[in-house]
Amino acid sequence: MSRYLAVVGERCVACGACMKVCPKNAIAVKHGVRAVVSPEQCIGCGLCVKTCPAGIIKKVERE
Amino acid sequence: MKKKRWYDYLWIYTPVYLVLGMFNILFAWLGMIEFLIPLGIALFGGGKLFCNQYCGRGQLFDLLGNRLKLSRKKTPPRFLSSPWFRYGFLAFFMTMFILMIITTVHVFSGAQDLKQAVTILWTFKLPWQFAYHGTLLSPGVAQFAFGMYSIMLTSSILGFVTMVLFRPRTWCVYCPMGTMTQGICSLKEGK
């Protein structure tokens, strides 16, 4: 399990840019409302953090 | 590297649309595709599949910003993603759209003459008579095309500027269609 994890903020616009860039297909836009990260699949690479046009995805240390 | 699908090439739609409108403004009617398909998908249970996969505009900005490195890739200001700004921009956009429809109706009814101009950023009128070669239908059909092309050109300019200044797909944050479809999905989800 990776040390870091991507966390999607409240202001997600559900554009899917994060989903497209994720190398592990660990993010999906659920019901057109917001992006959801699968903690099991996320490797904490931070690509989605740099891509999110709203700048609302954070890379946090796993608990 | 993810495998490319047919829909990954839809970025071609926006440049082709803008170029066609320079030759014959009636092609601007094709812009309705970008209005009706995302709404249809959202209303009939497909969520934001249009934004996520099929939006040519998002793909184009991604291409220009990432592949052609035209974007500074800076985090956009926080206000852009605030509901106040997004829904405010949607309201403004829809108001301007309704005003455009009213003008079109006036031209259809003969109360107003056809204006062969494209308005960018809702302010600056560009003479566009070179792309109008008449129509067998009412001049109102052409008036709608000029209005539609103005909307598409304006959104392309705004999207391009924010692509350069911030991240490639910054337009997606405040895109009125994206806000509207997300709003529909949220309502359907009861959130």
Side-chain angles (χ1 to χ4, degrees):
Chain A
M1 194 70 80
S2 66
R3 188 175 164 194
Y4 295 100
L5 173 72
V7 175
V8 181
E10 281 299 309
R11 287 180 173 186
C12 175
V13 299
C15 66
C18 52
M19 186 171 79
K20 274 196 165 179
V21 82
C22 178
K24 293 287 174 188
N25 296 321
I27 313 181
V29 175
K30 293 283 180 210
H31 312 293
V33 179
R34 57 183 288 115
V36 177
V37 179
S38 159
E40 294 81 28
Q41 287 168 276
C42 179
I43 55 168
C45 66
L47 261 177
C48 55
V49 179
K50 289 180 189 161
T51 302
C52 175
I56 52 96
I57 305 181
K58 300 273 176 277
K59 190 166 133 178
V60 298
E61 211 161 336
R62 285 182 194 262
E63 286 173 9
Chain B
M1 194 77 173
K2 289 185 181 179
K3 194 185 164 209
K4 291 256 188 198
R5 305 286 181 119
W6 65 269
Y7 49 75
D8 290 319
Y9 300 93
L10 289 173
W11 57 267
I12 199 83
Y13 178 81
T14 301
V16 166
Y17 177 88
L18 293 176
V19 169
L20 284 177
M22 289 175 188
F23 288 98
N24 192 329
I25 196 65
L26 296 178
F27 280 116
W29 272 86
L30 291 173
M32 287 306 288
I33 293 172
E34 278 188 290
F35 274 71
L36 299 176
I37 293 182
L39 282 178
I41 291 177
L43 285 170
F44 296 106
K48 284 195 56 163
L49 191 67
F50 185 84
C51 297
N52 302 162
Q53 278 184 358
Y54 305 120
C55 179
R57 193 165 296 242
Q59 287 179 17
L60 179 71
F61 292 138
D62 188 36
L63 194 81
L64 295 173
N66 286 320
R67 192 81 65 85
L68 300 185
K69 301 190 189 324
L70 293 179
S71 175
R72 290 163 71 227
K73 298 188 181 175
K74 301 279 181 198
T75 310
R78 264 180 63 82
F79 78 86
L80 273 188
S81 57
S82 74
W84 283 106
F85 181 78
R86 292 179 68 214
Y87 281 97
F89 187 67
L90 170 65
F92 171 73
F93 200 87
M94 289 312 291
T95 306
M96 299 315 270
F97 187 77
I98 290 165
L99 290 176
M100 185 271 273
I101 298 290
I102 292 171
T103 307
T104 301
V105 171
H106 283 166
V107 175
F108 261 111
S109 65
Q112 212 172 307
D113 289 332
L114 170 68
K115 288 195 188 81
Q116 295 177 37
V118 163
T119 312
I120 53 169
L121 300 169
W122 304 280
T123 313
F124 308 106
K125 291 201 187 317
L126 303 177
W128 214 264
Q129 66 275 20
F130 57 85
Y132 182 59
H133 314 289
T135 169
L136 295 173
L137 306 165
S138 162
V141 172
Q143 188 61 63
F144 181 83
F146 280 113
M148 194 73 205
Y149 193 79
S150 303
I151 290 173
M152 300 295 272
L153 189 58
T154 297
S155 55
S156 301
I157 292 168
L158 287 176
F160 185 85
V161 171
T162 48
M163 177 275 291
V164 172
L165 291 178
F166 310 114
R167 288 183 177 166
R169 284 183 60 177
T170 303
W171 167 253
C172 303
V173 179
Y174 62 101
C175 167
M177 290 312 298
T179 306
M180 206 178 337
T181 49
Q182 192 181 21
I184 292 169
C185 294
S186 299
L187 284 175
K188 288 180 82 169
E189 284 294 299
K191 284 178 184 168

